[in-house]
């Protein structure tokens, strides 16, 4: 009877082992069939997340580059505008000075011509009075020209 029990025990153990192995294989097959479904979803999600992250990083880098370039170009424009403004101001001052000088010389020349053209027979008193009148006219014209220059300078200061 000892042999029978041992044979039964071996068969039972062998059958139990077979059942466990078959059960494990079935579980592996079932779990294996679900794994690719979950893997596809995980890989798709991972790729989407990675792509979104890289897109956000690229957009951020582009924005930063644009802002930096914008700052550089703005500063460059400011410098160029300062230079052009100074050049224009110098030209305007030079032109105003030339106009003042030209008008003053023209008035003096005109006064001299009038004085020369006067009848030489007039008395010295008349000549002196006329000369004073012309000198007053020249002084008045010079004053007006200086006022125009002051107004021009005030206009420049106001423009700044």
């Amino acid at each position: 009877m000892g042999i029978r029990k041992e044979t039964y025990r071996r068969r039972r153990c062998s059958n139990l082992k077979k059942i466990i192995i078959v059960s494990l294989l079935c579980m592996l097959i079932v779990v294996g069939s679900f794994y690719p479904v979950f893997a596809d979803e995980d890989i798709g999600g991972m790729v989407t997340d990675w792509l979104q992250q890289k897109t956000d990083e690229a957009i951020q880098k582009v924005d930063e580059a644009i802002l930096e370039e914008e700052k550089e170009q703005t500063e460059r424009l400011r410098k160029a505008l300062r230079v052009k403004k100074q050049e224009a101001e110098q030209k305007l001052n030079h032109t105003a000075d030339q106009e003042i000088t030209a008008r003053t010389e023209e008035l003096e020349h005109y006064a001299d011509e009038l004085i020369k053209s006067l009848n030489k027979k007039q008395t010295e008193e008349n000549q002196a009075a006329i000369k004073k009148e012309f000198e007053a006219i020249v002084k008045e014209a010079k004053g007006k020209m200086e006022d125009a220059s002051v107004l021009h300078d005030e206009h420049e200061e106001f423009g700044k």
Side-chain angles (χ1 to χ4, degrees):
M1 220 185 188
I3 295 177
R4 227 178 186 189
K5 281 185 180 179
E6 217 175 286
T7 307
Y8 178 73
R9 200 186 281 162
R10 279 187 197 168
R11 274 189 189 169
R12 193 172 162 210
C13 231
S14 176
N15 286 341
L16 188 60
K17 285 181 184 179
K18 286 179 185 176
I19 292 174
I20 290 174
I21 289 174
V22 169
S23 297
L24 284 174
L25 284 175
C26 286
M27 285 175 50
L28 283 173
I29 291 171
V30 170
V31 170
S33 67
F34 287 124
Y35 180 73
V37 172
F38 294 130
D40 285 344
E41 290 177 12
D42 288 342
I43 289 174
M46 285 175 33
V47 169
T48 303
D49 290 344
W50 175 82
L51 186 60
Q52 184 63 40
Q53 181 184 6
K54 291 299 180 182
T55 303
D56 291 344
E57 288 175 6
I59 289 172
Q60 184 179 3
K61 285 180 183 178
V62 168
D63 286 344
E64 289 172 359
I66 288 172
L67 287 174
E68 189 162 323
E69 187 65 25
E70 183 180 339
K71 286 178 186 177
E72 289 177 15
Q73 296 305 322
T74 303
E75 186 59 33
R76 193 172 135 223
L77 282 172
R78 284 184 185 151
K79 287 179 183 177
L81 284 173
R82 276 188 224 123
V83 169
K84 292 294 182 183
K85 182 180 174 185
Q86 288 173 350
E87 288 175 0
E89 189 174 327
Q90 288 174 351
K91 286 180 182 178
L92 185 62
N93 288 339
H94 181 70
T95 303
D97 290 342
Q98 283 180 334
E99 284 298 314
I100 290 171
T101 304
R103 301 296 167 110
T104 303
E105 288 176 358
E106 186 178 327
L107 284 172
E108 287 178 10
H109 181 68
Y110 181 70
D112 289 342
E113 291 294 321
L114 286 176
I115 291 171
K116 287 180 184 177
S117 69
L118 287 176
N119 190 356
K120 295 195 178 186
K121 294 182 183 177
Q122 291 179 341
T123 62
E124 288 183 16
E125 291 177 12
N126 286 340
Q127 286 180 350
I130 291 173
K131 192 173 185 178
K132 284 182 185 179
E133 228 177 85
F134 282 128
E135 287 176 2
I137 291 172
V138 169
K139 284 182 184 179
E140 183 181 43
K142 284 182 181 180
K144 286 181 181 179
M145 292 301 290
E146 286 178 14
D147 288 344
S149 174
V150 169
L151 285 175
H152 171 69
D153 290 341
E154 288 177 359
H155 177 68
E156 284 182 3
E157 289 176 11
F158 178 75
K160 291 180 183 176

